């Protein structure tokens, strides 16, 4: 019954309708803002809501087709199968090019609907222009979806069963990774729209910075979580034993994150000091432009990767034209209108503003290095026909040295006052973090191998302790300890969120330092053999056949002993999917949050009665993703602060005057 109502034909009609509504959402509110016609400006919200509703219907039609095994839809036939578990039938909707493009359009429409719903406090003209820019961008992607990537194309004759999805994608981690990642990618369309609207109006002020900031925080949090989830997926599914491989498509997601982090910090300066206005507008354009460029690179065939969706030059040409229109148009508008933006307030180099400028310079420098290393091979292939590879050594030797001063300044920046600072108070507040970092540096020099791991461990502790020192100073930790919980409750959640995000960065750095000390071996073993890795003794008990829902597996059993104590039993496997005639490896991981025991089952040699095993002990590996989770949670905690969401203080409540310390007053002012 549901499949008869939510048919593919209805889905295609809803997609075409959403494109028409998005076009009107773009044209009419812009016309109303230019001519100061309130009716046309107010129409922006209605068009945004209608476009979102149409795309919800279109996406629901595709989900129903996948869930009911409607193999007359080519997208379902190519990416699903009767035996595929229902979870992956549904999540597989966005595990392919056409479905992921439709999801991209849906999230972009949701951004327009969110601005319409939560932007009622914006000036009418600015709100109309922001929603219009989002509508124009959505119309371009919906045209792309209709003409080159229609998810509702029919297959004739309809096959009795589908081909099934890529087995590598049949995993919970990747099932939920794309929506979160896309929410981050597409979320930066809102700051981009605010930037274009500000250029059209010729005005950027503290209010503009206050409006842009929550949308930037939300997009940054989603993108942080999405990148971390993708990194975790590659760690435990691909079986490479690492966490980041400088894969070109990984870099394509890292670039908007770096620029988005810079945008987040520069928007604070616009809000507090009305400085860096032109730079912040440019960052908003650059961040979303990098998000769109990543989409082009993944879908054009220029970058080949395990993450790539498609290899279709025709689609690449369409997206390239769309990029030229969106990015080229916005940069042309910036070049024309940026000179009319008034300069902001002045500040001393040694100040909170100065530390945020340093943050921007270093983040953008890292982004420039990553962009150069990612794009150099395809450009050389285009210009000279040379196949060149830029691997991890280049990125490690160029990007990592820039990250060191960035982390060093991360602890000190939040402790500096606005406009002008003095060195002595800063050093006094950094005594404890500095002493602990120095102790870790000394211990690391004795116990760790390599200069960079030692420095990374010290910097991780430095950043974490700096975040704690920031909160301790804000609440006046030396006062009566009995009132400390209440003073913490009075502290703005935005300050707590920022400190949590910084501490999360420190935790991730400690995880990276630990992973640099990992131990691993590749061995050929028989049942009963014992292998020593990282001080642990691994015993292969045997290999057995196991049947899965749509695959057959060979599963090994490994006992891991520390001394004479059994600490883990691991079951790495190799799965064969008959529908695709493809074999994948299934990693086995045992973690205690301090280190991971990590096993991969390789090829079997029946004539010798052996199997190939890759065994790892990865110290502090979970901290990499725990830190990323803390960063995303820090952003969410900041968004829970009403002052960040709507730019207004929390309604007055009865508070004990004795709990209002000078530090808390300063925190509230920030």
């Amino acid at each position: 019954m549901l499949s008869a109502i939510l048919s593919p034909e209805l889905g295609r009609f809803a997609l075409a309708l959403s494109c028409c509504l998005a076009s009107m959402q773009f044209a009419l509110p812009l016309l109303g803002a230019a001519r100061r016609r309130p009716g046309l400006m107010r129409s922006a919200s209605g068009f945004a809501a209608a476009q979102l509703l149409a795309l919800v219907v279109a996406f629901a039609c595709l989900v129903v087709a996948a869930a009911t095994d409607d193999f007359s839809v080519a997208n379902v036939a190519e990416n699903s199968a009767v035996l595929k578990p229902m979870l992956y039938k549904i999540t597989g909707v966005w595990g392919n090019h056409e479905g992921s493009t439709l999801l991209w359009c849906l999230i972009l429409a949701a951004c327009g609907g969110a601005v319409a719903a939560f932007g009622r406090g914006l000036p009418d003209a600015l709100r109309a222009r922001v929603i219009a820019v989002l509508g124009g961008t959505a119309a371009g992607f919906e045209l792309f979806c209709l003409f080159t990537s229609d998810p509702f194309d029919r297959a004739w004759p309809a096959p009795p069963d589908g081909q099934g999805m890529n087995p590598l994608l049949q995993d919970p981690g990747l099932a939920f990774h794309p929506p979160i990642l896309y929410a981050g990618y597409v979320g930066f369309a809102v700051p981009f729209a605010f930037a274009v609207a500000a250029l059209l109006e010729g005005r950027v002020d503290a209010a503009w910075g206050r409006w842009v900031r929550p949308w930037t925080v939300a997009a940054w949090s989603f993108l942080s979580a999405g990148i971390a989830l993708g990194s975790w997926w590659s760690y435990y599914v691909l079986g490479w034993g690492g966490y980041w491989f400088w894969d070109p498509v990984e870099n394509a997601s890292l670039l908007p994150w770096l620029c988005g982090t810079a945008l987040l910090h520069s928007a604070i300066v616009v809000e507090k000091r009305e400085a860096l206005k032109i730079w912040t507008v440019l960052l908003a354009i650059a961040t979303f432009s990098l998000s769109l460029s990543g989409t082009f690179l993944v879908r054009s065939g220029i970058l080949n990767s395990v993450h790539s969706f498609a290899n279709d030059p025709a689609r690449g040409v369409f997206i390239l034209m769309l990029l030229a229109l969106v990015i080229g148009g916005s940069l042309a508008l910036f070049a024309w209108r940026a000179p009319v933006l008034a300069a902001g307030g002045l500040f001393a180099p040694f100040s909170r503003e100065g530390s945020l400028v340093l943050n921007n310079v270093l983040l953008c420098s890292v982004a420039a290095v990553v962009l150069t290393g990612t794009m150099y091979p395809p450009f050389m292939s285009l210009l000279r026909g040379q196949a060149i590879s830029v691997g991890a050594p280049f990125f490690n030797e160029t990007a990592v040295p820039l990250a060191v001063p960035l982390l060093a300044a991360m602890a000190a920046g939040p402790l500096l006052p606005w406009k002008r600072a003095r060195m002595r108070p800063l050093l006094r507040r950094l005594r404890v973090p500095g002493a602990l970092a120095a102790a870790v540096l000394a211990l690391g020099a004795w116990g760790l191998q390599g200069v960079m791991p030692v420095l990374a461990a010290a910097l991780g502790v430095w950043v974490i302790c700096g975040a704690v020192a920031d909160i301790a100073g804000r609440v006046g930790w030396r006062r009566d300890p009995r009132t400390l919980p209440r003073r913490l409750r009075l502290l703005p959640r935005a300050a707590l969120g920022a400190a949590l995000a910084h501490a999360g960065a420190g935790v991730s750095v400690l995880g990276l330092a630990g992973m640099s000390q990992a131990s691993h071996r590749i061995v050929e073993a028989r049942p009963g053999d014992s292998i020593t890795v990282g001080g642990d003794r691994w015993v292969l008990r045997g290999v057995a056949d196991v049947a899965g829902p749509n695959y057959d597996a060979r599963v090994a059993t490994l006992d891991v002993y520390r001394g004479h104590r059994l600490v883990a039993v691991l079951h790495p496997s190799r799965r064969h999917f008959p529908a695709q005639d493809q074999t994948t490896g299934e990693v086995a991981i045992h973690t205690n949050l301090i280190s991971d025991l990590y096993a991969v089952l390789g090829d079997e040699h029946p004539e010798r009665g052996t199997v190939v095993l890759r065994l790892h002990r990865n110290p502090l590996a979970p901290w990499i993703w725990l830190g990323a989770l803390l960063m995303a949670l820090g952003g969410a905690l900041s968004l829970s602060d009403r002052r960040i969401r709507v730019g207004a203080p929390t309604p007055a409540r009865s508070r004990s005057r004795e709990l209002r310390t000078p530090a808390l007053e300063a925190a509230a002012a920030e």
Side-chain angles (χ1 to χ4, degrees):
M1 181 65 180
L2 188 61
S3 59
I5 298 173
L6 297 175
S7 65
E9 283 68 31
L10 176 62
R12 182 182 285 112
F13 172 78
L15 179 58
L17 177 62
S18 71
C19 186
C20 296
L21 292 169
S23 301
M24 290 187 285
Q25 177 185 331
F26 171 66
L28 296 182
L30 277 185
L31 179 64
R35 298 187 177 181
R36 299 295 172 183
R37 296 178 62 177
L40 289 178
M41 287 191 286
R42 286 194 295 269
S43 70
S45 297
F47 283 126
Q51 184 209 167
L52 176 58
L53 179 61
L55 279 171
V56 168
V57 171
F59 196 77
C61 290
L62 188 58
V63 170
V64 168
T68 57
D69 297 324
D70 185 356
F71 298 123
S72 68
V73 178
N75 179 267
V76 177
E78 293 170 2
N79 299 284
S80 188
V82 172
L83 293 179
K84 191 166 75 168
M86 180 57 71
L87 171 65
Y88 301 119
K89 288 182 181 180
I90 295 173
T91 60
V93 167
W94 54 76
N96 56 85
H97 170 74
E98 292 81 4
S100 68
T101 303
L102 184 60
L103 176 64
W104 181 286
C105 295
L106 176 62
I107 296 175
L108 189 53
C111 289
V115 174
F118 300 110
R120 296 172 184 171
L122 299 173
D124 289 343
L126 178 64
R127 183 170 176 238
R129 289 188 173 106
V130 169
I131 297 175
V133 172
L134 291 171
T137 308
F141 274 94
E142 286 155 12
L143 284 172
F144 172 71
C145 198
L146 282 169
F147 289 107
T148 70
S149 308
D150 188 351
F152 300 103
D153 275 343
R154 290 289 192 174
W156 185 259
D161 194 3
Q163 299 177 17
M165 71 190 301
N166 184 342
L168 286 175
L169 308 183
Q170 190 171 309
D171 180 84
L174 203 68
F176 302 106
H177 159 63
I180 298 173
L181 187 69
Y182 287 0
Y185 272 148
V186 182
F188 282 114
V190 180
F192 168 80
F194 270 97
V196 172
L199 290 172
L200 291 172
E201 290 192 355
R203 183 167 64 93
V204 174
D205 52 17
W208 181 88
R210 188 162 54 250
W211 294 324
V212 166
R213 189 177 170 192
W215 300 103
T216 305
V217 171
W220 180 87
S221 299
F222 276 114
L223 188 56
S224 299
I227 292 175
L229 189 58
S231 171
W232 182 54
W233 170 81
S234 68
Y235 173 72
Y236 78 86
V237 168
L238 296 183
W240 296 342
Y243 51 89
W244 190 268
F245 307 96
W246 296 107
D247 177 277
V249 179
E250 286 181 334
N251 294 348
S253 65
L254 180 62
L255 286 168
W257 185 87
L258 291 168
C259 284
T261 306
L263 171 63
L264 174 61
H265 290 87
S266 64
I268 298 173
V269 181
V270 175
E271 179 185 352
K272 305 301 181 184
R273 299 287 300 142
E274 291 201 36
L276 304 183
K277 293 189 288 188
I278 296 176
W279 172 246
T280 303
V281 169
L282 181 60
L283 273 179
I285 294 173
T287 302
F288 186 57
S289 297
L290 288 170
S291 295
L292 294 181
S293 300
T295 303
F296 165 68
L297 294 172
V298 172
R299 288 166 168 80
S300 63
I302 289 180
L303 296 182
N304 291 317
S305 160
V306 69
H307 302 82
S308 298
F309 270 119
N311 188 359
D312 189 340
R315 291 168 175 168
V317 170
F318 194 107
I319 296 182
L320 187 60
M321 294 171 60
L322 180 60
L323 290 183
L325 186 62
V326 175
I327 300 174
S330 59
L331 290 177
L333 179 63
F334 176 82
W336 174 45
R337 298 289 289 172
V340 307
L341 300 179
L346 300 177
F347 53 86
F350 189 57
S351 62
R352 177 81 66 86
E353 297 94 327
S355 71
L356 293 173
V357 170
L358 177 63
N359 160 284
N360 273 228
V361 170
L362 292 172
L363 283 168
C364 292
S365 298
V366 175
V369 166
V370 175
L371 180 63
T372 301
T374 303
M375 296 309 302
Y376 182 73
F379 272 123
M380 290 302 295
S381 176
L382 178 65
L383 294 177
R384 298 186 178 181
Q386 298 178 350
I388 296 176
S389 174
V390 175
F394 168 81
F395 295 104
N396 291 336
E397 293 175 10
T398 54
V400 172
L402 292 171
V404 170
L406 177 65
L407 293 168
M410 190 181 295
L415 304 180
L416 293 171
W418 293 102
K419 196 172 182 180
R420 186 181 300 276
R422 291 182 299 153
M423 182 64 72
R424 181 169 295 179
L426 176 65
L427 294 177
R428 187 167 55 247
R429 297 184 67 182
L430 286 173
R431 284 180 301 179
V432 175
L436 292 174
V440 170
L441 193 65
L443 292 173
W446 174 69
L448 300 180
Q449 299 177 359
V451 174
M452 289 307 300
V454 173
L455 186 57
L459 286 172
V461 171
W462 165 258
V463 171
I464 294 170
C465 293
V468 174
D470 178 29
I471 297 302
R474 289 174 183 270
V475 299
W477 65 275
R478 293 183 178 180
R479 288 169 57 88
D480 185 357
R482 292 173 298 180
T483 61
L484 181 60
R486 297 190 65 186
R487 295 201 302 275
L488 279 171
R489 286 198 301 270
L490 292 176
L491 192 67
R493 287 193 294 274
L496 289 171
L500 182 61
H502 283 191
V507 171
S508 289
V509 170
L510 286 176
L512 300 180
M515 275 290 285
S516 68
Q517 309 300 303
S519 305
H520 75 278
R521 287 185 63 185
I522 300 176
V523 298
E524 187 174 345
R526 294 180 175 84
D529 284 355
S530 176
I531 308 104
T532 301
V533 180
D536 296 328
R537 185 166 57 90
W538 303 62
V539 178
L540 175 62
R541 231 195 293 162
V543 183
D545 292 318
V546 175
N550 60 339
Y551 61 83
D552 300 315
R554 291 283 289 168
V555 181
T557 300
L558 286 161
D559 294 338
V560 185
Y561 294 89
R562 193 159 297 155
H564 297 289
R565 181 170 60 91
L566 178 66
V567 295
V569 178
L570 300 180
H571 299 283
S573 65
R574 288 179 65 81
R575 295 177 176 179
H576 177 70
F577 293 80
Q580 297 85 15
D581 192 21
Q582 185 173 342
T583 300
T584 65
E586 188 74 9
V587 178
I589 302 175
H590 172 80
T591 184
N592 58 6
L593 298 182
I594 301 299
S595 67
D596 283 354
L597 300 174
Y598 183 103
V600 182
L601 176 65
D603 295 331
E604 287 191 73
H605 301 286
E607 68 281 0
R608 297 197 296 267
T610 63
V611 295
V612 176
L613 297 171
R614 185 147 52 84
L615 311 175
H616 298 247
R617 186 182 182 191
N618 297 331
L620 300 186
W623 291 27
I624 299 173
W625 301 286
L626 175 62
L629 176 62
L630 290 176
M631 285 191 277
L633 288 176
L637 183 59
S638 294
L639 282 175
S640 70
D641 191 329
R642 187 173 185 271
R643 295 181 317 109
I644 299 298
R645 293 197 314 274
V646 299
T650 303
R653 288 181 260 176
S654 58
R655 295 176 176 176
S656 302
R657 293 186 60 85
E658 65 272 14
L659 294 179
R660 301 295 291 178
T661 68
L664 281 175
E665 295 291 350
E670 294 177 4

